Amino acid sequence: MANSRSGETVTERIVRVLETFDADRTVQTTAEIGRRARLPSSTAHRVVAGLVECGLLERDEEQRVRLGMRLWELALRGSHALRLRQAALPFMERVQARVREHTQLAVLENGETLFVERLSHPHAGANITRIAGRLPLHASSSGLVLLAHGPEELRERVLAGPLEAVSPKTVTDPALLRRVLAGVRRDGVVVAPGTVEAVSTGVAVPVREGRGRVVAALSVVLPRSTPTGPAAEALRSAAAGISAALGARRP
Amino acid sequence: MANSRSGETVTERIVRVLETFDADRTVQTTAEIGRRARLPSSTAHRVVAGLVECGLLERDEEQRVRLGMRLWELALRGSHALRLRQAALPFMERVQARVREHTQLAVLENGETLFVERLSHPHAGANITRIAGRLPLHASSSGLVLLAHGPEELRERVLAGPLEAVSPKTVTDPALLRRVLAGVRRDGVVVAPGTVEAVSTGVAVPVREGRGRVVAALSVVLPRSTPTGPAAEALRSAAAGISAALGARRP
DNA sequence: ATCCGATTCCCGTTGAATGGGAAGGACCGT
DNA sequence: ACGGTCCTTCCCATTCAACGGGAATCGGAT
């Protein structure tokens, strides 16, 4: 941004710095951040110092750096994700009480599945998804719902593009995937056995806002052996409840 | 940041732009943002365009601007707040099931109470707190817990500074407040009737991490007439559970 | 004592950022 | 149709914030 041989904006660099943090890397030294964000050492120190100054980053007991509560606050307080989550949470709890495994809420973001909320039972099975984590659209049950109801242009791009296998059972054949998506639209529910992890089955339904547009996917992750019928029923009624809560918001 | 007569860094301006969003103002025109962030029109348009480019902001159907999912993702995925929240949520649900009013989790941030999570019963009473919302430390029950266990330097500053009344019953007398704080440390719980809203009573307990440091406050908001004993007991056992969950995290 | 890495300070360079102004476009009331 | 208001886009000369190399300092490990 500013000057000298870089060719990037300050904004881009800030994003690159924030990107270096994830669930496995919540605290880092400034030098580490610089390396991962591909910034010269002195630049990294200056940028990080600026972000700390503004509260977007914080320093722990002298030394390392972590994401600041101020960033968390600014990102959430005006966000649509929070509204959606708040509307959905009570219904997710109800699903959770019945199904006793993993219940999660996901949205479409930049051609991927982004998980917004997740409730887990203490004794629930495997599940690699995380809040604020991503998965490809064609792999997870939530993603299939979002893709099936997403813009046609995106659907065609995904069907054309390379379909990487997340697990051995991931659907990677475009023709088959197209049939699966048609099925999702027809049935209003998708059952995806083993497409993310061999031992789990995902079940997902669409969540619609007032006018019927699909804004999210609600899903549960079950062990492969569990029957999916009751879960699908619980999801369907929860999705209806969330839609009502979203619709009734504005007078 | 860059040049010309401004004297601020780009980073500061970005924060100012993000600050213009809140729960009552989730979408704005670029011109509005510029006005609220005190930026010249052309600068506001350029900065917002840059943030949209990076995904930190998004444009809705041609025109207005809202916080981007990408910002939400970057702020949450490496954040300590998310860890704390995830550890606390199951226990909060248990409290919620028993008390059936509002259950909330708050942390100390920059001399204020910042609310990180909140569960509400459909038929619960009044409650002005919001997720990612703030209240003064001396007013809410959560704040009293955080202040009582916070750094002495902060406590003295708050006791010295002006103690604004949020409601008619807010404790604004330094001597009385000092006694209240001592009581919190002694009893491990605080009951604050009407200090935020005249019709409600807050009950709060400290949440400690592994070594015993207080990292958050867990609270419920009840109608004034409700007895506080059962709530206090539920909170205490939930706080113990959260502490265990936080401590057992690292091997 | 010696290395190695993180961090801080210095400083000359420079182009990204700046912001005023003009022009285009959408909407509204008259 | 027409004038007015407001949002947005484009242009462009100015300039200082940002840049990044390098050297010095600090701190822990060996």
Side-chain angles (χ1 to χ4, degrees):
Chain A
M1 50 168 31
N3 345 48
S4 235
R5 85 218 81 209
S6 76
E8 316 160 294
T9 65
V10 177
T11 312
E12 284 169 336
R13 294 188 159 194
I14 290 175
V15 171
R16 281 235 304 284
V17 167
L18 297 182
E19 276 174 342
T20 65
F21 291 88
D22 61 37
D24 306 316
R25 202 171 269 273
T26 61
V27 289
Q28 310 177 80
T29 66
T30 306
E32 253 178 306
I33 296 172
R35 253 174 276 125
R36 286 165 56 89
R38 299 183 311 283
L39 293 176
S41 165
S42 62
T43 302
H45 280 273
R46 179 169 31 80
V47 172
V48 167
L51 291 170
V52 169
E53 188 74 23
C54 296
L56 299 189
L57 297 180
E58 290 171 2
R59 286 192 211 279
D60 61 0
E61 326 78 36
E62 306 334 311
Q63 207 98 250
R64 299 208 303 271
V65 177
R66 62 178 179 215
L67 295 179
M69 284 303 302
R70 182 111 188 89
L71 174 62
W72 182 90
E73 178 188 7
L74 291 173
L76 284 198
R77 73 177 193 186
S79 94
H80 284 222
L82 182 58
R83 282 197 165 190
L84 172 64
R85 191 207 88 108
Q86 288 295 84
L89 196 56
F91 299 98
M92 291 180 69
E93 285 171 9
R94 221 169 290 174
V95 172
Q96 179 64 5
R98 262 207 268 171
V99 178
R100 298 174 155 265
E101 285 284 341
H102 304 281
T103 308
Q104 39 201 242
L105 185 70
V107 299
L108 176 62
E109 151 60 20
N110 197 28
E112 288 185 300
T113 317
L114 180 64
F115 290 90
V116 169
E117 182 57 286
R118 166 181 158 172
L119 302 178
S120 296
H121 191 79
H123 308 302
N127 186 356
I128 62 169
T129 64
R130 283 173 168 162
I131 292 178
R134 289 173 180 259
L135 278 178
L137 284 175
H138 67 280
S140 65
S141 59
S142 298
L144 291 171
V145 164
L146 296 170
L147 188 55
H149 295 92
E152 167 142 19
E153 175 265 315
L154 169 68
R155 196 157 47 244
E156 291 307 322
R157 182 148 37 91
V158 170
L159 281 163
L163 295 169
E164 272 177 43
V166 173
S167 90
K169 293 276 185 181
T170 307
V171 176
T172 56
D173 174 48
L176 177 54
L177 179 54
R178 200 180 287 273
R179 256 174 291 143
V180 169
L181 296 177
V184 177
R185 283 188 294 269
R186 177 174 17 90
D187 305 336
V189 62
V190 63
V191 176
T195 60
V196 176
E197 290 178 288
V199 297
S200 308
T201 296
V203 184
V205 301
V207 175
R208 299 167 188 277
E209 46 89 317
R211 276 154 309 184
R213 202 167 57 90
V214 172
V215 291
L218 187 65
S219 63
V220 294
V221 175
L222 310 170
R224 282 292 282 278
S225 55
T226 310
T228 59
E233 207 32 65
L235 286 173
R236 244 195 282 260
S237 84
I242 297 170
S243 295
L246 286 173
R249 199 57 72 83
R250 313 250 185 175
Chain B
M1 50 165 28
N3 345 46
S4 237
R5 83 219 84 212
S6 76
E8 318 159 293
T9 65
V10 177
T11 312
E12 285 169 334
R13 296 189 156 192
I14 289 174
V15 171
R16 281 235 304 284
V17 167
L18 297 182
E19 276 173 342
T20 64
F21 292 87
D22 61 37
D24 305 316
R25 202 172 268 274
T26 61
V27 289
Q28 309 177 83
T29 66
T30 306
E32 256 179 302
I33 295 172
R35 251 174 276 124
R36 286 166 56 88
R38 302 183 309 283
L39 293 176
S41 164
S42 62
T43 302
H45 280 273
R46 181 168 30 78
V47 172
V48 167
L51 291 170
V52 169
E53 188 75 22
C54 295
L56 300 190
L57 298 180
E58 290 170 2
R59 285 192 211 280
D60 62 0
E61 327 76 37
E62 306 335 311
Q63 208 96 251
R64 298 208 303 271
V65 177
R66 60 177 180 219
L67 295 178
M69 284 302 302
R70 182 110 187 91
L71 173 63
W72 182 90
E73 178 187 7
L74 290 174
L76 284 193
R77 72 175 196 191
S79 95
H80 284 223
L82 182 59
R83 281 197 166 191
L84 172 64
R85 191 207 89 108
Q86 288 295 84
L89 195 56
F91 299 98
M92 292 181 69
E93 285 172 8
R94 224 169 288 174
V95 171
Q96 179 64 4
R98 262 207 267 171
V99 178
R100 299 174 155 267
E101 285 284 340
H102 305 280
T103 308
Q104 40 201 240
L105 184 69
V107 299
L108 176 61
E109 150 61 21
N110 197 29
E112 288 184 300
T113 317
L114 180 64
F115 289 90
V116 169
E117 182 56 285
R118 166 180 158 173
L119 302 179
S120 296
H121 191 79
H123 307 303
N127 186 357
I128 63 168
T129 65
R130 282 172 169 165
I131 292 179
R134 289 174 179 260
L135 278 178
L137 284 175
H138 67 279
S140 65
S141 58
S142 298
L144 292 170
V145 164
L146 296 171
L147 188 55
H149 295 92
E152 168 141 21
E153 175 266 317
L154 170 67
R155 196 156 49 243
E156 291 307 324
R157 182 148 38 92
V158 170
L159 282 163
L163 295 168
E164 273 177 44
V166 174
S167 90
K169 294 275 186 182
T170 307
V171 176
T172 56
D173 174 47
L176 177 53
L177 180 54
R178 200 180 286 275
R179 257 175 290 144
V180 169
L181 294 177
V184 177
R185 284 188 294 268
R186 176 173 20 92
D187 304 337
V189 64
V190 63
V191 176
T195 60
V196 176
E197 291 178 288
V199 296
S200 307
T201 295
V203 184
V205 301
V207 176
R208 300 168 188 277
E209 46 89 317
R211 278 154 308 185
R213 201 167 58 91
V214 172
V215 292
L218 187 66
S219 62
V220 293
V221 175
L222 310 169
R224 281 291 282 278
S225 54
T226 310
T228 59
E233 208 30 66
L235 286 174
R236 242 195 282 260
S237 84
I242 298 170
S243 295
L246 286 173
R249 199 56 73 82
R250 312 250 186 177

